[in-house]
Amino acid sequence: MDSNETRIKIAVQKSGRLTDHSMDLLVRCGLRYSRGRDQLICYGENMPIDVLLVRDDDIPGLVQEDVCDLGIVGGNIIEESRLNIEETSKTEIFKKLVSLDYGHCRLSFGIPDGDDFLGSESLEGKRIATSYPAIVKAYLKENEINASVIQFSGAVEIAPSLGRADIICDLVSSGATMKAHNLYEAKTILESTATLIQTPSILVDSKTDWINRLLQRIKGVLQAKESKYIMLHAPRDALQEIRRLLPGSEAPTIIPLEGRQDKVAVHAVCRENVFWGTLEDLKDAGASSMLVLPVEKMLA
Ligand code: PRT
Ligand code: ZN
């Protein structure tokens, strides 16, 4: 078997909002890599995984056509591609493996300030500019609305002021872009995050084994990021209340303190962030010497 058949190829955005997060995730999963001369491929040195750096719009196609085994791309692009593939062929579609914790955004209708939006009916007969025509058309069809969809490949937000459209449907994260163009966000039709996808083709066992390992490591990284290790001293008689206050922790470890009958040390992994308010509540319940540490790796 040549290395092409045994090494996993994963498509990642070459340069954009998802690039640093995606490479960082792979590094946290243990991947060490060197960049090819052309800067378009990163070769895994300690795992049989190579990263292809491409435009995000090309990722679902590369994975669908089995040029890459895996890809990391926004849910918005995944959904647009899925609808397009479904419309043109009956083949099996790439699989979504796991949603990641970055690239959060939403696809929303933006209406010019001063125009009313009374619900989806307000879209009837309108011209809607978007880079996601398949998603918007599917939404209109589902809601039995007649409207024309005008495809823009960028700068959708200027379409109304150019007189090219009445309404836009575009990605929003902070909302500042719509506001700056005198539009308001009227309705969200898709929530999106970066997502790992896999080719629908059947893979050799060695690739499947590595993909399963990678998936388990990704889940571990996501859990570890959300988790904190907390250590504190607690009066024995306040233990019940303190355990109740520890956010998302399972069985904490209780350790006796040398020379103290009334106090113990409590160590726990909290699967949620530990906020100042929680520490203050713990202090009020009698806890002292509190330490909150980040968790680097987790494997259940
Ligand atoms: O060159 P390439 O084609 O690879 O990159 P690109 O320019 O198409 O994509 P890029 O890097 O801008 O975004 C990659 C992915 O990041 C998207 O497909 C989304 O999944 C995700 N993402 C998250 C966003 C945003 N947030 C986002 N805010 N993608 C785009 N935007 C744009 C949006 O289109 C609008 O112009 O930012 C503007 C709105 O932002 P706010 O904060 O003003 O609301
Ligand atoms: Zn793009």
Side-chain angles (χ1 to χ4, degrees):
M1 230 185 267
D2 70 23
S3 71
N4 208 23
E5 285 176 55
T6 53
R7 292 187 70 81
I8 292 163
K9 284 201 231 46
I10 174 163
V12 165
Q13 190 185 24
K14 180 168 184 269
S15 140
R17 291 171 203 260
L18 306 184
T19 309
D20 290 349
H21 288 291
S22 301
M23 294 313 290
D24 182 57
L25 175 67
L26 295 173
V27 168
R28 281 172 185 258
C29 290
L31 183 70
R32 274 203 322 268
Y33 62 86
S34 56
R35 268 197 185 213
R37 264 164 180 264
D38 53 9
Q39 304 278 310
L40 296 180
I41 302 183
C42 299
Y43 298 98
E45 290 175 346
N46 57 340
M47 291 156 86
I49 296 179
D50 300 324
V51 182
L52 254 75
L53 297 167
V54 294
R55 283 206 54 192
D56 65 348
D57 314 74
D58 296 334
I59 294 175
L62 290 169
V63 175
Q64 179 67 23
E65 285 153 26
D66 204 23
V67 178
C68 292
D69 308 290
L70 301 174
I72 299 179
V73 63
N76 47 311
I77 291 184
I78 291 175
E79 186 58 8
E80 183 72 12
S81 304
R82 188 186 69 78
L83 291 167
N84 283 324
I85 297 169
E86 258 177 13
E87 201 185 83
T88 53
S89 71
K90 289 266 169 288
T91 52
E92 208 186 322
I93 294 185
F94 53 76
K95 303 171 215 164
K96 288 197 217 178
L97 294 185
V98 61
S99 295
L100 305 169
D101 64 343
Y102 56 89
H104 296 283
C105 58
R106 49 198 189 272
L107 186 63
S108 297
F109 287 110
I111 311 279
D113 288 340
D115 288 3
D116 286 337
F117 183 81
L118 306 168
S120 302
E121 319 78 81
S122 299
L123 303 169
E124 187 67 35
K126 294 289 196 304
R127 294 169 305 160
I128 305 168
T130 186
S131 306
Y132 299 91
I135 301 177
V136 174
K137 282 180 190 162
Y139 175 83
L140 295 174
K141 190 171 170 200
E142 201 182 304
N143 289 278
E144 299 175 351
I145 294 158
N146 280 310
S148 51
V149 176
I150 304 160
Q151 184 164 1
F152 268 61
S153 51
V156 178
E157 60 280 354
I158 60 170
S161 57
L162 292 178
R164 299 276 311 277
D166 308 302
I167 288 172
I168 69 165
C169 191
D170 197 15
L171 296 179
V172 182
S173 52
S174 68
T177 305
M178 280 206 184
K179 235 181 232 157
H181 289 84
N182 303 315
L183 300 163
Y184 69 94
E185 189 182 351
K187 184 171 179 59
T188 296
I189 60 170
L190 181 89
E191 300 275 357
S192 172
T193 62
T195 303
L196 180 71
I197 55 172
Q198 180 182 334
T199 175
S201 305
I202 292 169
L203 300 172
V204 294
D205 288 351
S206 61
K207 281 194 180 185
T208 306
D209 289 349
W210 263 105
I211 289 174
N212 288 338
R213 275 171 88 167
L214 183 67
L215 201 57
Q216 193 174 46
R217 291 185 188 187
I218 289 176
K219 288 179 180 162
V221 169
L222 296 177
Q223 260 186 14
K225 273 203 223 167
E226 279 175 13
S227 303
K228 294 282 178 273
Y229 192 78
I230 182 164
M231 301 190 276
L232 53 84
H233 288 177
R236 267 184 196 281
D237 56 11
L239 264 181
Q240 210 180 354
E241 173 65 358
I242 283 172
R243 283 183 63 164
R244 194 187 64 76
L245 288 168
L246 287 173
S249 76
E250 284 152 29
T253 308
I254 313 285
I255 309 159
L257 284 174
E258 188 67 25
R260 297 288 300 254
Q261 291 304 315
D262 55 331
K263 274 196 172 180
V264 288
V266 178
H267 290 197
V269 174
C270 297
R271 288 175 190 262
E272 294 165 31
N273 227 327
V274 179
F275 296 104
W276 281 111
T278 310
L279 293 185
E280 285 153 7
D281 291 346
L282 286 165
K283 191 171 183 342
D284 290 344
S288 59
S289 306
M290 285 178 274
L291 261 183
V292 181
L293 305 171
V295 174
E296 193 181 292
K297 289 192 178 69
M298 258 184 157
L299 194 63

